Amino acid sequence: MAEVEPRVELLAHTPEPLAVIYAAFRQCYHAGFVGDAWPELTADGADRDRQAAFVRQVLESGHGSPLEHVSFTFGLSGVSRALTHQLVRHRIASYSQQSQRYVDASDFDYVLPPAVAANARARARFERFMAEAGAAYRDIKALLDADGRNASREDARFVLPQAAASNIVVSMNCRALLNFFEHRCCMRAQWEIRRVAGMMLKLCRGALPEIFERAGPRCERLGWCPEGGRFSCGRYPARSQGE
């Protein structure tokens, strides 16, 4: 058992992502068939600055559905079950998570919250409980195995804490990712998922800066805090959407 840190890897994304989004936008406003123009859009020397400018212009009008044609797939490791319970609330997305039913958790790793790590007494109690949970899991699994149970892991897992580390593969399209970043990069988001969202955003900006250069919490795009009042972190002035 050990404390672990999160890892985020960009496993794959739609090839030629900018050209795909540009082609989808152009098809909405052009009489011709974008399939005929596709070789030119992806050829060496293609005018990607022009593609990017057109995409930005249309996005500013509020038309965002063509972003759904491009998706990103991430591998996340060393994240807690508390994080993945929040993560799977986001739609539209696909998830494949490490199963506690099939993977032996006798020596599970765990995520240590920074506030707990900073308090010596809280950390000692936290780590003692992790050891207790691990011992309870091993004891229950052994007792069920002795009874001839073929699926002892699926019942022993009920004692595992939310801090137990997990691995998960996540796929989202660009439109869903922009929404994800608006909510989970916000200072009011829980610290762990905010940290992981920031790591994902950095990878997205590297792969497709034309779309993700301004991605992040809504306040950075709006210039004011849509949370408002006592929910604002204070980075931007609060302002109602009706103003």
Side-chain angles (χ1 to χ4, degrees):
M1 300 177 67
E3 175 191 346
V4 292
E5 295 289 325
R7 283 186 57 195
V8 178
E9 298 288 341
L10 178 57
L11 304 181
H13 61 72
T14 303
E16 301 289 353
L18 178 61
V20 169
I21 294 170
Y22 175 81
F25 273 127
R26 289 296 298 174
Q27 190 63 90
C28 295
Y29 303 109
H30 194 272
F33 174 45
V34 296
D36 295 332
W38 182 248
E40 178 184 347
L41 297 179
T42 57
D44 290 340
D47 192 346
R48 288 177 172 78
D49 289 340
R50 181 172 64 88
Q51 294 177 19
F54 179 79
V55 166
R56 290 189 187 99
Q57 179 182 2
V58 180
L59 282 175
E60 288 176 359
S61 74
H63 184 189
S65 60
L67 294 175
E68 297 172 12
H69 294 291
V70 169
S71 65
F72 285 69
T73 297
F74 302 88
L76 276 55
S77 177
V79 296
S80 71
R81 280 272 168 164
L83 179 144
T84 61
H85 290 336
Q86 298 175 78
L87 182 64
V88 298
R89 294 174 183 154
H90 287 271
R91 301 291 185 266
I92 301 170
S94 298
Y95 305 97
S96 298
Q97 186 169 11
Q98 186 179 62
S99 173
Q100 290 181 337
R101 185 182 183 192
Y102 296 109
V103 176
D104 192 332
S106 295
D107 194 33
F108 70 87
D109 293 329
Y110 57 86
V111 175
L112 180 66
V116 175
N119 183 308
R121 293 177 63 189
R123 177 170 188 154
R125 184 64 187 95
F126 184 96
E127 292 177 340
R128 188 163 70 250
F129 176 72
M130 292 298 108
E132 292 166 358
Y137 177 94
R138 292 188 294 273
D139 290 345
I140 293 169
K141 181 178 177 298
L143 290 167
L144 295 178
D145 285 338
D147 286 342
R149 288 288 307 275
N150 293 324
S152 59
R153 294 171 187 168
E154 74 176 16
D155 290 334
R157 64 179 168 161
F158 277 74
V159 301
L160 295 174
Q162 289 200 76
S166 186
N167 301 326
I168 188 169
V169 173
V170 184
S171 294
M172 294 187 191
N173 66 52
C174 287
R175 196 179 195 186
L177 278 167
L178 290 173
N179 178 266
F180 172 75
F181 294 139
E182 282 193 346
H183 289 85
R184 300 303 183 174
C185 290
C186 174
M187 290 301 295
R188 293 194 65 240
Q190 184 257 355
W191 64 268
E192 185 186 13
I193 199 168
R194 184 173 69 245
R195 180 181 181 186
V196 169
M199 297 166 74
M200 293 169 63
L201 177 54
K202 183 177 180 179
L203 292 169
C204 287
R205 283 176 173 162
L208 188 54
E210 297 85 358
I211 299 300
F212 293 104
E213 60 190 353
R214 297 184 61 193
R218 283 187 295 170
C219 60
E220 292 183 359
R221 174 172 55 83
L222 297 173
W224 53 275
C225 175
E227 298 288 340
R230 63 188 179 90
F231 296 114
S232 175
C233 71
R235 291 177 62 197
Y236 287 86
R239 171 186 166 192
S240 69
Q241 295 192 28
E243 293 180 349

